[in-house]
Amino acid sequence: MSEQQPKTNPERMEKIVSLCKRRGFVFQSSEIYGGLNGCWDYGPLGVELKRNLKDYWWRVMVRERDDVVGMDGSILMNRAVWKASGHEETFTDPMVDCRVCKARLRADQLPDKEGVKYCPTCGSRDLTEARAFNLMFLTYVGATQDESSKTYLRPETAQAIFVQFKNVLEVSRKKLPFGIAQVGKAFRNEINPRNFTFRSREFEQMELEYFCAPAQGRELLEYWLQERLRFYENIGLPREKLHVHEIPAEERAFYSQGTYDIEFEFPFGIQELEGVAYRTDYDLTQHIKASGKPLDYFDEETKQRFVPHVVEPSAGVDRTALALICSAYDEETVTDEKGKSETRIVLHFHPRMAPIKVGIFPLLKNNPQLVAKAREISALLRPHMMTFYDEGGAIGRRYRRQDEVGTPFGVTVDFDTLGEKGDELKDTVTLRHRDSMKQERVAIKDLLGLILPQL
Ligand code: GAP
């Protein structure tokens, strides 16, 4: 955490967690059996939000670039990978036990009073000495469970990229600098999962390993920091809520020549969204040493052979999705024409990230012509975007339901659409904008052209 923390807001966080469950963004995993700590299921809206985020990341990091290709590595890998990468030896957090309530706690996250650490669960100061706890989930491959069949669920996606570096380089015929990107699950047996999905035991990462000549590393670290900040702004996180924390040399991994954390102001404090790290040639060199295979690069122009350096922007899908929800959440007091005030809960998602792009509403559900027209509009828009058809309840209620899940556009089919006020308004609808609540009359044939460029 970088600077002075702004005030935390547990009440706001509680409301966000409650909305996530109520509206189907996130459920507790295995809920009917009491849950599983640190594991979450994404419901119909959460899965759309995550997909929009991952698709946009893939679009800007892979498809729109000449210098990046993708891959999808397996979650289970040879144990030798985790020995070589250093994870088996050092991927640990310091753990202490409370001797009174038996809570297992992360030693580096304990609260203290006048310099004395205490248990956040029961308040006792009777804690054990810290010892290293390895965060990787151990598993066995095949039918025998012995030393030879041991491996781990991957704690990061990056290692698959390093060990496939040579294969990908050869098939893609890229020249340095170039990158390999991957999105996928990672698993860490966190001592204290907390802050909703923020620190989970199963989560997804979006990682790029960008390989370069040693002389380019420092400059590319700065380049990728700026690119990544631009990404977060482009998905709707306000720049003033994003913080950059440069990790001081004494806190960085010994091989790193520079690391930035990109942080976000969550209601529970300023916390890391992504690490952008200049990892030098550490990972490839480790795998060269351990496997005996050449993972180096021959530069045709300079006729030099060397082990590429790596700059790694590594982001969390779940953390970013949570940041999007926290940033979008708003409660507004709105007053209707009759002077009646009420609270409007709204998620101000960027249209690109919103799970549902447009709600489609026939004014009355018992009028077959209105319903048929609304269905027709759904069929027109559905191939291009996520739509939601809703005919139940007063129209104001239906708008509110969509506001609460962040749907940026609402299309209402009324009697004017059917031509009851003459030909001028025939085949036009009301297009309602979520944030301003302004409504405009637009032709059905213009809807796609109006909405699509904003997604
Ligand atoms: N390959 C580098 C690496 O894994 P990291 O800082 O340990 O670096 C990168 O993880 C990102 O993965 C973090 O910035 C965060 O967004 C996400 N992440 C890490 N641990 C997580 C956890 N327990 N729950 C949710 N996301 C996590």
Side-chain angles (χ1 to χ4, degrees):
M1 278 165 283
S2 47
E3 47 234 83
Q4 193 83 49
Q5 288 276 320
K7 259 183 87 132
T8 57
N9 191 341
E11 196 189 321
R12 179 179 166 86
M13 196 58 212
E14 251 172 58
K15 286 180 183 167
I16 289 168
V17 172
S18 145
L19 178 128
C20 281
K21 173 156 192 214
R22 187 170 75 245
R23 298 308 312 270
F25 283 92
V26 182
F27 306 119
Q28 203 184 6
S29 162
S30 330
E31 189 186 278
I32 61 168
Y33 292 102
L36 181 64
N37 199 4
C39 300
W40 301 95
D41 292 342
Y42 287 80
L45 294 181
V47 74
E48 288 295 330
L49 177 67
K50 278 215 299 182
R51 187 165 293 275
N52 293 339
L53 172 61
K54 289 186 282 184
D55 285 353
Y56 185 63
W57 187 91
W58 197 260
R59 189 177 118 195
V60 299
M61 300 292 275
V62 183
R63 297 218 168 128
E64 290 182 357
R65 300 187 65 107
D66 263 345
D67 57 349
V68 177
V69 293
M71 70 165 276
D72 185 18
S74 65
I75 287 171
L76 296 172
M77 297 169 76
N78 191 313
R79 181 182 176 187
V81 171
W82 307 112
K83 287 187 178 188
S85 66
H87 283 84
E88 192 171 273
E89 188 80 5
T90 61
F91 195 60
T92 58
D93 273 342
M95 180 173 73
V96 298
D97 287 338
C98 170
R99 289 201 181 90
V100 176
C101 73
K102 309 289 177 221
R104 295 231 128 137
L105 306 159
R106 243 177 86 165
D108 56 341
Q109 289 175 350
L110 290 174
D112 72 285
K113 212 183 229 162
E114 289 145 16
V116 184
K117 308 255 186 227
Y118 62 90
C119 169
T121 316
C122 73
S124 162
R125 294 171 171 193
D126 192 3
L127 306 171
T128 61
E129 283 298 306
R131 58 201 184 283
F133 172 75
N134 195 299
L135 297 183
M136 287 196 295
F137 280 97
L138 175 67
T139 190
Y140 295 90
V141 177
T144 36
Q145 296 201 348
D146 59 21
E147 211 39 38
S148 69
S149 62
K150 261 190 189 170
T151 195
Y152 306 94
L153 301 189
R154 68 179 178 199
E156 61 170 19
T157 63
Q159 293 305 320
I161 297 179
F162 295 128
V163 301
Q164 292 293 359
F165 168 72
K166 201 76 175 182
N167 278 336
V168 177
L169 177 69
E170 273 168 24
V171 297
S172 61
R173 299 172 56 232
K174 293 284 174 203
K175 295 209 169 13
L176 291 191
F178 92 101
I180 307 177
Q182 183 173 203
V183 177
K185 289 267 185 180
F187 303 83
R188 295 183 190 177
N189 200 0
E190 298 285 354
I191 299 168
N192 289 137
R194 59 184 184 158
N195 290 330
F196 197 28
T197 56
F198 180 84
R199 188 174 303 286
S200 309
R201 289 186 167 135
E202 175 175 341
F203 55 95
E204 270 181 290
Q205 291 185 315
M206 305 181 281
E207 295 200 297
L208 170 70
E209 306 304 322
Y210 197 75
F211 301 95
C212 63
Q216 298 170 302
R218 274 297 327 180
E219 199 181 313
L220 282 167
L221 175 68
E222 304 304 321
Y223 166 80
W224 278 110
L225 172 66
Q226 294 311 321
E227 283 294 291
R228 298 303 303 144
L229 286 168
R230 202 151 61 88
F231 172 89
Y232 289 112
E233 284 186 81
N234 285 343
I235 59 173
L237 296 182
R239 183 64 185 83
E240 64 277 11
K241 290 204 162 195
L242 294 166
H243 299 256
V244 176
H245 174 43
E246 184 169 7
I247 309 291
E250 62 277 12
E251 288 175 30
R252 290 197 301 257
F254 69 91
Y255 49 79
S256 169
Q257 278 186 26
T259 301
Y260 293 110
D261 280 353
I262 299 176
E263 302 173 329
F264 178 74
E265 272 177 41
F266 287 95
F268 43 83
I270 298 180
Q271 299 279 349
E272 177 190 331
L273 277 184
E274 164 159 355
V276 186
Y278 175 20
R279 302 176 63 98
T280 63
D281 59 356
Y282 173 75
D283 303 273
L284 287 179
T285 304
Q286 287 299 102
H287 290 301
I288 291 169
K289 279 195 233 156
S291 69
K293 300 286 187 311
L295 299 175
D296 52 4
Y297 177 82
F298 182 70
D299 189 322
E300 306 277 354
E301 273 171 36
T302 62
K303 306 288 176 216
Q304 281 182 324
R305 186 171 284 285
F306 59 91
V307 179
H309 278 212
V310 171
V311 174
E312 175 197 65
S314 170
V317 176
D318 310 76
R319 281 190 189 179
T320 310
L322 184 60
L324 287 170
I325 296 171
C326 291
S327 168
Y329 184 86
D330 197 10
E331 289 172 12
E332 298 171 355
T333 305
V334 287
T335 311
D336 67 15
E337 316 86 66
K338 294 174 197 145
K340 204 174 139 234
S341 291
E342 62 165 2
T343 304
R344 173 172 97 119
I345 295 175
V346 53
L347 293 180
H348 295 288
F349 283 134
H350 189 295
R352 195 176 274 150
M353 291 296 115
I356 300 167
K357 310 301 183 190
V358 54
I360 298 158
F361 317 112
L363 191 61
L364 300 172
K365 75 167 172 194
N366 52 11
N367 180 300
Q369 283 169 293
L370 289 175
V371 167
K373 202 60 173 177
R375 295 267 184 213
E376 207 180 283
I377 295 170
S378 290
L380 173 79
L381 300 182
R382 204 180 288 128
H384 306 274
M385 66 191 79
M386 190 71 186
T387 63
F388 186 77
Y389 174 85
D390 186 5
E391 57 180 27
I395 192 75
R397 280 271 193 78
R398 285 183 262 170
Y399 287 154
R400 288 287 183 278
R401 283 203 289 264
Q402 290 309 306
D403 289 344
E404 208 187 34
V405 298
T407 306
F409 304 104
V411 166
T412 305
V413 176
D414 56 20
F415 292 103
D416 293 351
T417 316
L418 304 179
E420 290 202 357
K421 279 207 191 127
D423 277 355
E424 208 183 316
L425 291 181
K426 191 167 186 298
D427 285 329
T428 66
V429 288
T430 303
L431 180 66
R432 175 185 181 267
H433 299 265
R434 174 200 64 203
D435 295 346
S436 63
M437 293 186 281
K438 291 228 165 71
Q439 304 191 5
E440 56 177 330
R441 201 77 204 173
V442 304
I444 294 171
K445 66 174 172 37
D446 294 336
L447 276 175
L448 262 182
L450 278 167
I451 297 173
L452 268 184
Q454 302 191 50
L455 304 183

